[in-house]
Amino acid sequence: DARVTQTPRHKVTEMGQEVTMRCQPILGHNTVFWYRQTMMQGLELLAYFRNRAPLDDSGMPKDRFSAEMPDATLATLKIQPSEPRDSAVYFCASGLVITGRIGEQFFGPGTRLTVL
Amino acid sequence: QKEVEQNSGPLSVPEGAIASLNCTYSDRVSQSFFWYRQYSGKSPELIMSIYSNGDKEDGRFTAQLNKASQYVSLLIRDSQPSDSATYLCAVGTGRRALTFGSGTRLQVQP
């Protein structure tokens, strides 16, 4: 049963602390996405990797956020230092780009982050 | 103008009726179109994808695409209370990341 996994599922931390979220994409997928969802902003794209290379991180606050794919089975999103306004649900998704067209994309269960 | 627009709803339909969800997009060269369902507190779940003009049916769901009008819709036949959720339209252009609409909340009244 192929699915995207994310850890942790819930995280409560204090302002100023580092937060690391991890994602294991579906085996064989060549694209990975990080999204943030809040009631006010909806679903926002933070970062997009294809074949482990970052293609678009324009939605990510560069001063505190960083995203990497150290290998094909792991994507990470780090926030340092965290702030209360970072409280949101963070989703990872993976999919395929084939023949120059983006295809179906599957979401993980999300990490619910609360920064106090 | 938003790139992908959806009516936020809520769209309320009685059980057994047809629910019609609509989405318009601004980029004429978009090629990939998706509908996701998101229950409260859960992640978006892919329910339909469509790439060519016309209709695509899968069980009680039908996706309709009209590229000339830049319009994609989702019909849910025989709506059930379990269909109550937020439905997100997503549009893909080339290899760029999908652009999501803000979602339409559907309520199916028993």
Side-chain angles (χ1 to χ4, degrees):
Chain A
D1 184 23
R3 60 182 69 187
V4 177
T5 59
Q6 289 186 247
T7 57
R9 295 291 306 276
H10 302 272
K11 176 73 176 179
V12 180
T13 191
E14 292 190 346
M15 183 173 63
Q17 296 299 303
E18 177 178 303
V19 175
T20 299
M21 291 170 269
R22 293 178 174 82
C23 167
Q24 181 171 12
I26 293 172
L27 188 64
H29 281 184
N30 61 2
T31 57
V32 172
F33 307 84
W34 283 104
Y35 293 92
R36 175 171 62 185
Q37 189 174 43
T38 62
M39 289 293 292
M40 295 299 295
Q41 298 296 327
L43 201 59
E44 302 174 274
L45 177 70
L46 296 175
Y48 167 22
F49 291 81
R50 189 166 75 235
N51 297 322
R52 295 177 54 204
L55 286 192
D56 183 358
D57 60 1
S58 57
M60 201 162 65
K62 304 288 192 305
D63 56 337
R64 298 184 300 108
F65 284 60
S66 62
E68 295 180 344
M69 275 202 77
D71 62 60
T73 65
L74 177 65
T76 62
L77 179 67
K78 291 186 181 180
I79 308 174
Q80 168 62 24
S82 58
E83 297 181 1
R85 59 180 167 150
D86 301 329
S87 298
V89 180
Y90 291 80
F91 291 110
C92 175
S94 73
L96 283 171
V97 167
I98 48 175
T99 62
R101 182 180 72 185
I102 199 157
E104 297 174 341
Q105 184 174 305
F106 300 90
F107 283 77
T111 295
R112 183 173 297 274
L113 174 65
T114 303
V115 183
L116 303 174
Chain B
Q1 182 190 5
K2 289 183 182 177
E3 292 184 49
V4 178
E5 296 218 39
Q6 295 181 256
N7 188 318
S8 62
L11 172 66
S12 186
V13 301
E15 184 174 355
I18 295 175
S20 177
L21 303 157
N22 304 315
C23 172
T24 58
Y25 59 95
S26 60
D27 194 335
R28 279 199 172 275
V29 299
S30 296
Q31 303 160 291
S32 310
F33 305 87
F34 307 91
W35 283 99
Y36 287 82
R37 176 176 62 197
Q38 187 173 25
Y39 293 114
S40 180
K42 301 295 186 183
S43 59
E45 173 192 8
L46 179 68
I47 53 172
M48 289 288 284
S49 58
I50 187 166
Y51 300 95
S52 305
N53 276 331
D55 294 0
K56 179 181 177 183
E57 188 174 316
D58 184 0
R60 295 187 296 113
F61 298 100
T62 299
Q64 299 175 318
L65 175 61
N66 184 327
K67 290 186 179 180
S69 300
Q70 295 175 239
Y71 176 94
V72 58
S73 65
L74 179 71
L75 301 178
I76 306 174
R77 289 182 299 282
D78 188 23
S79 296
Q80 300 297 310
S82 59
D83 295 324
S84 297
T86 296
Y87 289 80
L88 300 167
C89 171
V91 175
T93 304
R95 300 180 182 185
R96 284 171 22 201
L98 296 181
T99 302
F100 283 83
S102 55
T104 298
R105 190 155 61 94
L106 173 67
Q107 294 177 342
V108 181
Q109 306 294 338

